Amino acid sequence: MRHSDIKAQGLIRLLTQGLLALGEQKTANELGDRSRYIGMSDIGKSMECMRAAVASKLGLSAVPAATAVGGLAPDDLVRVLGQQLILQRGHWQEHGIEKALDATGVKLVPQLEISVEHNGVPIKAHLDFTLVWGGQRPAVRILELKSNGRILESLYASYEAQLYGQVGLLKSCWAEPSFSVPQTELQQVTFPQAIQRLFNVALPESPDNVDIEAWVLSISMDKVKPFGPYLPDMGMLETCLQTAVAIWRTTEDVRSASLGLNDLDYCQGFHPLCDWCDVNTDCPKFQAVSIPSDSACGLELEELAMLKERKTALEERIAESEKRIRQTYSLIGAQDWISTGNHRFRVVTVAGRKTLDRSLVLDTLSSLIGNEIKAQSALDECVKTGKPYDRLYIGKINKPLKSAA
């Protein structure tokens, strides 16, 4: 290996170690020892995969400690750095969003903590941002940030469970000494007490007449999409609390070896978050025929996976380039072709694709027929289902890390 390559790898190793250490510090400062309580993200995760939620409580993670970076093999070092850049991007966005909200003058509490105990199980909720308005029409808004490579079309069930748990606890614990603000003297106070001391704003002693909502902000590199509002729902809150108890009890059973991790319910079907799961290496969902990686079939499968990754990266670059060129074309006021080398370019407005609004069709049929059930039946009879087809899924295996030695 060339001397310059060794230096470059040393820089990568240093950056990876720093990102891991930063994540460990942030978790310790804001979330504490996560093995000692059930958090809202644990509850959300278990809604889709109890196995993953319990494994997280047991500390079965493929993410190395910052102190272990020096022993990582080069390939694992690159993989860990890539994962950390994606994970840390959410923290960086959170910091930026906080500064942006602060600049508006809104009364904002970052990382508000709500602590309760249910059936002997310690449960905590950490709210990214809590916005407060006092006066004659008091209101509270919970904002949960989700950093996504692409803006979501709809929220995962795990995200929604997290929101219902947060907003439900805020209302149910309003007048209880369950609230704490990290790195302040405000520990185990009621919500009105916390807001009074932070902002000198008086809130009602009861939340019944307070406008309370929770929202998710899905944030990509250049877009934001809000999802909500999620309102306090005591039925959903009870489901979250019972789920927390189930996670706690199941974790104890697995820790005592009275139950195996692979005996737990796991996510069925295709789910995009499975590729990010730290314990997907031996998940029963992916029981597979093992093919030697150096065999003809193994080499072809690995090449296909590599080509798909390159295709995704190339499509993203093409989309960014096309967007930039369209913007430049508009700014320079071009009306005709632009030529360069062996190619010519032109931006034209194309008519939008026509789609059928099913809800509008149903409303129209209902008004004509006078019977919504018959209209729905008529619409269903006109639906054509295509032939089944084969789809190839490719997922990453988060294998145990290898030593650099």
Side-chain angles (χ1 to χ4, degrees):
M1 183 180 293
R2 294 180 304 174
H3 185 62
S4 60
D5 292 339
I6 295 174
K7 284 188 171 182
Q9 188 177 106
L11 182 58
I12 294 297
R13 199 172 295 274
L14 181 65
L15 179 59
T16 305
Q17 182 179 7
L19 289 174
L20 287 168
L22 184 64
E24 291 169 3
Q25 292 169 10
K26 183 175 177 65
T27 298
N29 292 337
E30 296 181 357
L31 305 180
D33 185 353
R34 299 192 64 181
S35 67
R36 304 185 66 176
Y37 66 88
I38 302 298
M40 293 299 106
S41 60
D42 300 320
I43 294 171
K45 183 182 292 186
S46 73
M47 295 287 188
E48 295 174 331
C49 184
M50 178 62 80
R51 181 180 182 274
V54 170
S56 176
K57 292 292 97 181
L58 293 170
L60 303 177
S61 172
V63 180
T67 54
V69 169
L72 292 182
D75 288 347
D76 283 334
L77 183 67
V78 171
R79 175 162 65 89
V80 171
L81 176 60
Q83 291 173 340
Q84 286 302 304
L85 286 172
I86 293 173
L87 292 172
Q88 293 291 343
R89 186 181 69 201
H91 299 320
W92 300 333
Q93 287 178 335
E94 183 178 323
H95 177 74
I97 295 296
E98 180 180 350
K99 294 299 182 184
L101 292 173
D102 275 338
T104 69
V106 69
K107 295 174 178 60
L108 171 69
V109 184
Q111 291 302 318
L112 179 68
E113 179 182 287
I114 310 175
S115 301
V116 298
E117 187 173 294
H118 183 76
N119 290 344
V121 175
I123 301 170
K124 291 186 180 182
H126 294 91
L127 285 51
D128 284 347
F129 299 122
T130 306
L131 284 63
V132 180
W133 291 266
Q136 295 183 345
R137 301 178 63 184
V140 179
R141 296 290 182 268
I142 296 172
L143 297 184
E144 177 71 20
L145 304 188
K146 296 298 182 184
S147 178
N148 304 112
R150 297 178 181 176
I151 294 296
L152 301 175
E153 290 296 327
S154 58
L155 286 186
Y156 299 129
S158 57
Y159 291 175
E160 292 191 321
Q162 186 176 354
L163 262 291
Y164 276 119
Q166 290 179 351
V167 73
L169 284 178
L170 175 65
K171 183 173 182 178
S172 65
C173 298
W174 182 277
E176 301 295 328
S178 303
F179 297 83
S180 300
V181 181
Q183 301 179 9
T184 72
E185 75 284 357
L186 296 177
Q187 303 293 319
Q188 299 301 298
V189 296
T190 69
F191 186 69
Q193 286 173 344
I195 300 307
Q196 178 71 50
R197 297 183 193 179
L198 287 170
F199 307 115
N200 196 28
V201 170
L203 290 177
E205 290 302 316
S206 169
D208 292 340
N209 294 320
V210 180
D211 182 13
I212 302 175
E213 294 178 356
W215 289 76
V216 168
L217 290 181
S218 174
I219 306 176
S220 67
M221 292 301 292
D222 60 353
K223 293 181 181 178
V224 174
K225 182 177 180 180
F227 291 91
Y230 292 86
L231 306 179
D233 184 307
M234 294 305 105
M236 289 299 297
L237 175 60
E238 181 62 25
T239 298
C240 289
L241 296 177
Q242 293 301 326
T243 301
V245 173
I247 298 171
W248 189 265
R249 302 282 187 255
T250 305
T251 301
E252 291 178 335
D253 289 341
V254 175
R255 186 180 286 117
S256 66
S258 61
L259 192 64
L261 187 63
N262 285 350
D263 296 327
L264 307 183
D265 291 336
Y266 52 87
C267 178
Q268 300 292 325
F270 175 74
H271 197 292
L273 294 181
C274 286
D275 284 352
W276 296 95
C277 179
D278 290 334
V279 289
N280 72 7
T281 302
D282 56 352
C283 179
K285 173 180 178 177
F286 299 110
Q287 292 297 319
V289 176
S290 181
I291 297 175
S293 58
D294 58 352
S295 66
C297 183
L299 291 172
E300 185 169 359
L301 290 173
E302 287 293 331
E303 182 183 20
L304 175 61
M306 179 186 66
L307 291 174
K308 293 278 284 186
E309 290 179 356
R310 289 181 179 177
K311 176 185 177 183
T312 299
L314 186 59
E315 287 176 343
E316 291 176 353
R317 288 182 59 188
I318 291 172
E320 291 173 0
S321 181
E322 287 185 345
K323 178 181 178 181
R324 188 166 56 251
I325 291 172
R326 286 196 300 269
Q327 291 174 339
T328 303
Y329 192 93
S330 175
L331 289 172
I332 65 177
Q335 300 293 327
D336 213 329
W337 294 93
I338 296 176
S339 62
T340 178
N342 296 324
H343 298 87
R344 61 172 66 98
F345 303 84
R346 184 180 184 182
V347 177
V348 296
T349 301
V350 180
R353 184 174 60 180
K354 293 183 179 180
T355 58
L356 188 65
D357 188 328
R358 186 181 176 92
S359 297
L360 182 59
V361 171
L362 180 59
D363 291 342
T364 303
L365 283 175
S366 298
S367 64
L368 291 174
I369 299 175
N371 188 309
E372 184 176 350
I373 296 178
K374 289 184 178 180
Q376 180 67 61
S377 178
L379 186 59
D380 291 341
E381 290 178 3
C382 296
V383 174
K384 182 179 179 180
T385 302
K387 293 182 179 179
Y389 65 96
D390 295 331
R391 179 175 178 180
L392 176 63
Y393 288 115
I394 302 175
K396 293 182 180 179
I397 301 175
N398 295 323
K399 295 181 178 179
L401 302 174
K402 303 183 291 295
S403 170

